[in-house]
Amino acid sequence: MMLSRRMNRGVLLAVGSAAALLGAAGPALASGALYCGAGRGLTRDVAIQSAIDDANVSASADGRFHCVLNGQPEVFEVFDDPNFGHIFRASVTMNCD
């Protein structure tokens, strides 16, 4: 009988911890969804705008039309692309609701 009480306490403790974690993460998850976008262009700005447009189009397909950048865009300069030569590639993460 003593063993089952200890197991019940352990189960209740685990359930309580999970509920507390989900309760804390709930507001963050409810604020929107993250969408990634990628783009390329002859300049950094064009590559970043292309990546932002890519993420916005993905979010709008899910009915999310208000997006803001989540962090900074990542930009990579490529000097020897086999099709375009010298280009920039960009990646962004957007928080959309």
Side-chain angles (χ1 to χ4, degrees):
M1 192 67 166
M2 189 61 102
L3 181 60
S4 75
R5 283 186 185 165
R6 285 186 185 160
M7 287 178 59
N8 286 341
R9 285 186 200 157
V11 169
L12 289 175
L13 184 61
V15 170
S17 297
L21 286 174
L22 289 175
L29 294 175
S31 66
L34 295 178
Y35 288 85
C36 295
R40 65 175 161 76
L42 295 176
T43 66
R44 298 173 79 81
D45 293 337
V46 171
I48 292 169
Q49 188 59 51
S50 178
I52 290 171
D53 292 343
D54 183 46
N56 282 330
V57 168
S58 296
S60 67
D62 290 340
R64 298 174 186 269
F65 299 103
H66 180 260
C67 297
V68 294
L69 276 174
N70 185 19
Q72 295 294 318
E74 295 180 339
V75 180
F76 309 96
E77 189 172 8
V78 179
F79 293 98
D80 58 352
D81 186 83
N83 296 317
F84 303 104
H86 181 225
I87 62 168
F88 293 88
R89 296 190 185 275
S91 173
V92 298
T93 304
M94 309 271 299
N95 189 359
C96 303
D97 57 358

